[in-house]
Amino acid sequence: MKRSQVWTGPTVFVVDPDPLTGALTKELLDGSDVGCEAFRSGRDFLAAYRDSRPGCLVLEQRIPDMSGLQLQHRLSASGSILPLVFVTSNPDVSLAVELMRGGAVHVLEKPARSIELLSAIQEAIALDQDRRRAKAHQTKVRDLTASLTRKERQVLELIADGKSIKSMAGELELCVRAIELRRNSLMRKLDIRSSLELMRFAVIAAQESCPESDVEFSPARAAVCA
């Protein structure tokens, strides 16, 4: 890759004061379609990283300016979805548990075996791809929902509650034909071809618009989500 080109594929970011970790990681990834960038401190990494860049983070718990755990908390607080793999010397059980509870994909002990580190990196990158696809889908659902009129959103909310066309008509004090026209308009705008697809979208949209603790599922919603 030429220096003038911008790398857009997944990147393994290494944060470790020991340059051997970065060198080992780069050697493991040599010839693959995954890049590697090494940093000696958490602040250097945070100054350079943007969450739009896919990949994963391989880091030591013991770094000079902040602990790996503190860096994990900083990333989590910022809403980052970057998966973390810890490679650290003599991790005790309580620390390993805390790191895993914080979302670490793996906690490996130094010196990590090459095959073990590569497997952890591959798993973390696959997880990052899944998270980014899910995030893109959530954004698409929110954007599509925002494009609807107030009347169309009313019908969408009632569909999410499992209401029949007749029930919706009664609740909105409209004729059945008017509800059918709104539902058909919804399906055209959302490029949805079946009532089941529309129900699924409606449930997802309801989850996106409400905090998880506030979303009440009717039996109809539960059946679709199962």
Side-chain angles (χ1 to χ4, degrees):
M1 182 178 66
K2 296 179 181 179
R3 289 184 180 274
S4 60
Q5 293 177 319
V6 177
W7 178 252
T8 57
T11 299
V12 177
F13 303 95
V14 180
V15 178
D16 194 325
D18 182 357
L20 291 178
T21 303
L24 171 61
T25 305
K26 287 181 180 179
E27 184 179 344
L28 286 174
L29 299 172
D30 187 37
S32 72
D33 59 353
V34 179
C36 182
E37 295 179 18
F39 302 87
R40 297 291 185 89
S41 72
R43 286 192 178 89
D44 287 346
F45 166 73
L46 289 173
Y49 179 66
R50 298 295 177 269
D51 205 47
S52 58
R53 299 186 63 186
C56 71
L57 175 60
V58 173
L59 74 158
E60 164 67 80
Q61 159 63 10
R62 300 170 181 84
I63 47 181
D65 53 348
M66 66 180 78
S67 69
L69 181 61
Q70 288 173 322
L71 179 54
Q72 182 184 46
H73 289 165
R74 289 275 295 272
L75 289 170
S76 178
S78 71
S80 173
I81 60 174
L82 190 70
L84 277 62
V85 174
F86 281 87
V87 182
T88 188
S89 303
N90 304 315
D92 58 58
V93 175
S94 61
L95 173 63
V97 168
E98 188 170 5
L99 295 175
M100 296 292 282
R101 282 179 175 171
V105 179
H106 283 285
V107 179
L108 306 180
E109 185 173 3
K110 282 185 175 178
R113 292 184 302 159
S114 296
I115 189 170
E116 190 177 30
L117 178 56
L118 182 59
S119 176
I121 287 172
Q122 290 171 337
E123 183 178 339
I125 288 176
L127 176 60
D128 182 65
Q129 291 171 340
D130 289 343
R131 287 176 177 175
R132 289 179 189 278
R133 278 193 292 267
K135 187 175 182 180
H137 182 65
Q138 290 169 351
T139 300
K140 182 180 179 181
V141 168
R142 285 195 293 267
D143 289 347
L144 285 170
T145 304
S147 73
L148 302 175
T149 66
R150 180 183 62 83
K151 293 179 180 180
E152 288 167 341
R153 282 197 294 272
Q154 282 180 330
V155 172
L156 191 69
E157 290 167 3
L158 293 173
I159 289 172
D161 285 331
K163 298 292 179 69
S164 67
I165 290 179
K166 187 175 180 180
S167 296
M168 285 187 271
E171 189 159 335
L172 297 177
E173 298 181 344
L174 296 169
C175 66
V176 168
R177 180 58 179 163
I179 298 298
E180 289 176 338
L181 289 173
R182 289 190 191 181
R183 187 188 65 172
N184 292 341
S185 176
L186 274 174
M187 294 177 74
R188 282 195 303 272
K189 279 191 176 182
L190 302 175
D191 193 24
I192 287 175
R193 306 186 187 283
S194 73
S195 297
L196 182 58
E197 283 183 70
L198 182 58
M199 169 65 91
R200 285 173 176 160
F201 182 92
V203 171
I204 293 170
Q207 291 174 304
E208 288 299 312
S209 64
C210 302
E212 187 175 350
S213 59
D214 293 337
V215 175
E216 295 182 1
F217 280 90
S218 66
R221 286 192 189 185
V224 171
C225 293

